[in-house]
Amino acid sequence: MPMRAWLVFFLFLLSAIAFLDRTNISIAGPQISQEFSLGNVRLGWVISAFLVGYAASQVLAGWIAVRLGPRRALSLAVLWWAVFTLATALVSPRLPHALATLIAVRLALGVGEAIMYPASNQFVAQWIPVAERGRVNGVIFAGVGAGTGLTPLLLTAIIASHGWRSAFWFSATVGLAAGIAWYLIARDTPEQHPLVSPRELQTVRAGLIEVNKLDQGKTSIPWRAILRSRTVLLLTFACFCFGYVAWIFLGWFYLYMAQARSLDLKASAFYTMFPFIAMTIFCIVGGLLGDLIASRHGLRAGRCGPGFFSLLVAAALLIVGSRVASAPIAAMTLAAGAGALYISQSSYWSVTADIAGRHAGIVSAVMNTGAQIGGAVTVSLTPWIAQQFGWTSSFLVAALLAVAGALAWLGVDPERSLAQP
């Protein structure tokens, strides 16, 4: 198996662990809320704090990914995750300003996790031929569904046996082990890796796009080109819509099944796995589909087609799923909506690698800022909408944003690099 395939597998694992670390707060939410006397709205503040730190640090994270390279950037980031995941478990309700402390710790965790995907996209830009980027990003982001999907049952069992703090110790330990392994096996470029064969190196070099021949030798970030790029701006807006919808599942689906659908905690944990299983499967499917369409009909069709249609299908399924009476059918339908949404995931990141080349880390960070702002909005706004107008209205707002995101994809052009005037 090529060395790049092994490294992509490790990025899949780190992606899964990153989402284990960020969504464990949702599974432990009922116990934390009770212990700290929070309620859903203030619990939403705690969840939002992670996303605020994550969004605010995206551009800095992209710069770090470019400067340090994906190997060192991710290794340092995982150490950061471990520290602040453990810190979450150490916060006591007896502390003065305990809620503020908990919010500050989760915000700091978000700052560290911001490096994950800009660094992985920097890896993709430097290691992965253009023809493979859809499927590779599909595998990396399948870690989102895998990590979040395993979280409910795994952490529910740990919490039931040892309390909610043990779940955070477990998350930190697993992440630290994977981060050490990444540092030992990864390199920033295929030329630096001793286990890359001459044949693989030739394949990688032949498949990379020279994004900006006129800019060779320069290392400065082309901020003007980035901020004036229609594709970057539209991708960022579409990513905002994507993030808003995704975080209804990542932040609130467990409590939605427990509160709105009147299920006990074990049943909620069981049904909460469905959206994330769907995300895992359809993220990979979307990457494969995008590469297949691109090989037959061009890069624009292969990247933008899945982005456009997946968001439209997700919108329809969100509306239907939130209105059916049966809890199992609702879970299945909404899970299908989450799966449809994640068909587009690899398209976002592949486009930024396609148009930005060696600046992929910073450009993808700008785009991903939109997703995190969308997530921060939804984890605070969703419980308020549900409280004022009902859970069905919360899903309707998400569906409308999914349609808006789909329309934004119509203006994206992955064949036009930042270097082109």
Side-chain angles (χ1 to χ4, degrees), residues 65 192 281:
Q192 296 172 353
I281 295 171

Side-chain angles (χ1 to χ4, degrees), residues 19 117 137-138 141-142 144 239 242 246 282-283 286 306-307 310 340-350 367-368 409:
F19 269 79
Y117 296 112
N137 275 313
F141 284 95
V144 174
C239 217
F242 178 99
F282 285 100
C283 200
S310 69
L341 179 73
Y342 269 73
I343 288 174
S344 67
Q345 177 70 290
S346 69
S347 293
Y348 289 93
W349 295 82
S350 296
M367 175 198 71
N368 198 32
W409 269 104

Side-chain angles (χ1 to χ4, degrees), residues 136-278:
V136 163
N137 275 313
V139 170
I140 292 171
F141 284 95
V144 174
T148 317
L150 290 173
T151 300
L153 284 182
L154 180 61
L155 295 192
T156 297
I158 293 174
I159 290 168
S161 300
H162 305 289
W164 69 265
R165 287 180 170 82
S166 297
F168 288 81
W169 282 88
F170 171 80
S171 301
T173 302
V174 169
L176 189 58
I180 293 170
W182 168 258
Y183 184 79
L184 293 175
I185 72 161
R187 298 295 184 274
D188 291 329
T189 65
E191 288 83 0
Q192 296 172 353
H193 207 296
L195 298 182
V196 172
S197 67
R199 182 177 180 181
E200 182 179 6
L201 183 58
Q202 183 180 7
T203 299
V204 171
R205 285 174 172 171
L208 296 180
I209 290 179
E210 292 186 52
V211 174
N212 191 353
K213 294 182 179 179
L214 298 176
D215 193 37
Q216 286 184 357
K218 297 181 181 180
T219 58
S220 59
I221 296 170
W223 286 111
R224 185 177 180 183
I226 291 170
L227 297 177
R228 294 181 63 183
S229 168
R230 183 182 70 177
T231 288
V232 172
L233 294 175
L234 288 173
L235 272 179
T236 302
F237 174 73
C239 217
F240 168 87
C241 299
F242 178 99
Y244 187 99
V245 177
W247 270 93
I248 280 192
F249 293 99
L250 299 172
W252 288 111
F253 195 72
Y254 181 78
L255 288 176
Y256 166 73
M257 295 305 296
Q259 295 178 357
R261 296 293 179 172
S262 302
L263 299 178
D264 61 36
L265 293 182
K266 288 186 178 179
S268 292
F270 174 72
Y271 284 116
T272 298
M273 288 196 309
F274 290 2
F276 306 118
I277 292 171

Side-chain angles (χ1 to χ4, degrees), residues 59-60 76 96 109 120 139 153 171 183 185 221 233 260 280-281 284 291 369 383 385:
V59 174
L60 174 62
L76 291 172
L109 177 64
S120 73
V139 170
L153 284 182
S171 301
Y183 184 79
I185 72 161
I221 296 170
L233 294 175
T280 304
I281 295 171
I284 297 172
D291 282 346
T369 300
I385 295 174

